[in-house]
């Protein structure tokens, strides 16, 4: 009987997980279509503005940044649709440091001028095997969560985000189900309000909206990215990697992503 009961519980858990993923896919699809409508307006007007300001060296780069951000948002929307359709990642060999440095202006624009984005990159970081388009969406989602964590915060340090890389030879030892071998760790550390233990444990649950949440004030109600870390966790697992979250209320959050090392020719962008 106990074996039969365990099998039944396993099937029920699988059914619940399938239902949650189906609901998340439906929501992702609806969000992506709404985003596309807004992105079309922003991108079209941004391109017109960039052309109109071609002779203004002070304002024209800002218009180009609007266009760049809109293009990145279009990529994010496409990735949401990919998730809704449950498409598998298409990994490439990526020089992670070069890729991150190229993405840095977009990440800075995502969090705003009041939050400084820094890098702490290992100059000898290995290339990684990953689909770069959804990885970009992952970092944008982390930036959105961090931005919400700074709203109305009470912290002891200025607002900042540090993105780092480190090589890791035996990281998979502590991650059941992950293939052994070299990994590259991407660290995303913010000095926002952080999470308490209960929030940290549930942070990757589907539909959990308390990300980076100490008790929220009315001024920041609803600013959490409810699907953010759940989708991050899902993508990292699909990419044969794993993630870890460390956080202390009032001091910030550290999210570490391990991606498998690539051993072939680098695709730099």
């Amino acid at each position: 009987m106990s074996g039969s009961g365990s099998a039944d519980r396993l099937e029920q858990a699988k059914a619940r997980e399938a239902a949650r993923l189906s609901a998340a896919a439906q929501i992702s699809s609806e969000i992506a279509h709404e985003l596309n409508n807004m992105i079309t307006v922003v991108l079209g007007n941004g391109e017109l503005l960039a052309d109109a300001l071609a002779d203004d060296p002070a304002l024209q780069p800002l218009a180009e940044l609007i266009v760049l951000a809109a293009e990145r948002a279009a990529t994010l929307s496409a990735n949401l649709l990919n998730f809704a359709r449950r498409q598998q990642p298409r990994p490439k060999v990526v020089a992670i440091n070069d890729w991150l440095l190229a993405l840095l202006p977009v990440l800075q624009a995502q969090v705003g001028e009041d939050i400084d984005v820094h890098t702490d990159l290992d100059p000898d970081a290995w290339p990684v095997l990953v689909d770069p388009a959804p990885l970009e969406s992952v970092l944008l989602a982390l930036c959105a969560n961090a931005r919400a964590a700074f709203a109305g915060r009470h912290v002891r340090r200025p607002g900042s985000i540090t993105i780092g890389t480190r090589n890791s030879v035996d990281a998979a030892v502590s991650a059941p189900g992950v293939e052994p071998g070299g990994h590259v760790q991407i660290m995303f550390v913010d000095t926002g309000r952080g999470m308490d233990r209960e929030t940290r444990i549930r942070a990757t649950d589907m539909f959990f909206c308390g990300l980076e949440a100490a008790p929220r004030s009315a001024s920041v109600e609803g600013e959490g990215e409810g699907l953010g870390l759940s989708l991050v966790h899902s993508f990292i697992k699909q990419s044969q990697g794993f993630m870890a979250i460390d956080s202390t209320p009032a001091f910030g959050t550290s999210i570490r992503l391990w991606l498998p090392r690539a051993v072939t020719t680098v695709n730099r962008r």
Side-chain angles (χ1 to χ4, degrees), residues 28-242:
S28 297
S29 179
E30 293 174 0
I31 291 173
H33 286 298
E34 290 296 329
L35 278 176
N36 281 338
N37 293 333
M38 294 182 281
I39 290 166
T40 300
V41 175
V42 174
L43 186 56
N45 284 280
E47 290 172 344
L48 290 173
L49 188 60
D51 290 340
L53 294 172
D55 297 327
D56 191 326
L59 296 179
Q60 204 268 348
L62 300 179
E64 289 184 345
L65 188 57
I66 292 173
V67 173
L68 179 61
E71 290 173 344
R72 300 293 188 181
T75 300
L76 174 59
S77 179
N79 291 336
L80 282 173
L81 283 174
N82 287 343
F83 173 78
R85 297 165 185 158
R86 301 188 184 182
Q87 294 182 3
Q88 293 297 312
R90 292 176 289 184
K92 301 177 182 179
V93 180
V94 176
I96 192 63
N97 283 355
D98 293 347
W99 186 87
L100 285 170
L101 289 172
L103 188 62
L104 196 61
V106 179
L107 301 180
Q108 182 67 72
Q110 173 79 336
V111 298
E113 296 179 355
D114 294 338
I115 302 171
D116 292 326
V117 181
H118 309 282
T119 58
D120 180 16
L121 306 178
D122 181 348
D124 298 318
W126 298 320
V128 296
L129 189 64
V130 69
D131 188 335
L135 180 60
E136 181 175 310
S137 297
V138 159
L139 291 175
L140 288 169
L142 293 180
C143 282
N145 284 331
R147 183 184 61 204
F150 285 104
R153 74 190 190 283
H154 298 286
V155 296
R156 302 181 182 182
R157 289 172 288 173
S160 68
I161 293 170
T162 301
I163 300 173
T165 54
R166 295 290 185 275
N167 293 333
S168 181
V169 176
D170 57 358
V173 172
S174 59
V178 176
E179 291 293 326
H183 289 73
V184 175
Q185 180 188 154
I186 301 176
M187 297 166 290
F188 188 97
V189 182
D190 71 60
T191 59
R193 65 172 171 265
M195 296 180 272
D196 58 26
R197 182 176 181 276
E198 179 182 359
T199 301
R200 187 175 66 252
I201 291 172
R202 298 185 58 198
T204 58
D205 288 354
M206 195 70 72
F207 306 121
F208 182 60
C209 295
L211 303 183
E212 292 272 74
R216 293 180 179 272
S217 67
S219 63
V220 295
E221 185 68 28
E223 289 193 86
E225 301 293 322
L227 292 178
L229 290 187
S230 177
L231 294 184
V232 170
H233 184 247
S234 175
F235 168 72
I236 295 299
K237 287 182 65 178
Q238 282 185 313
S239 301
Q240 308 303 312
F242 57 103

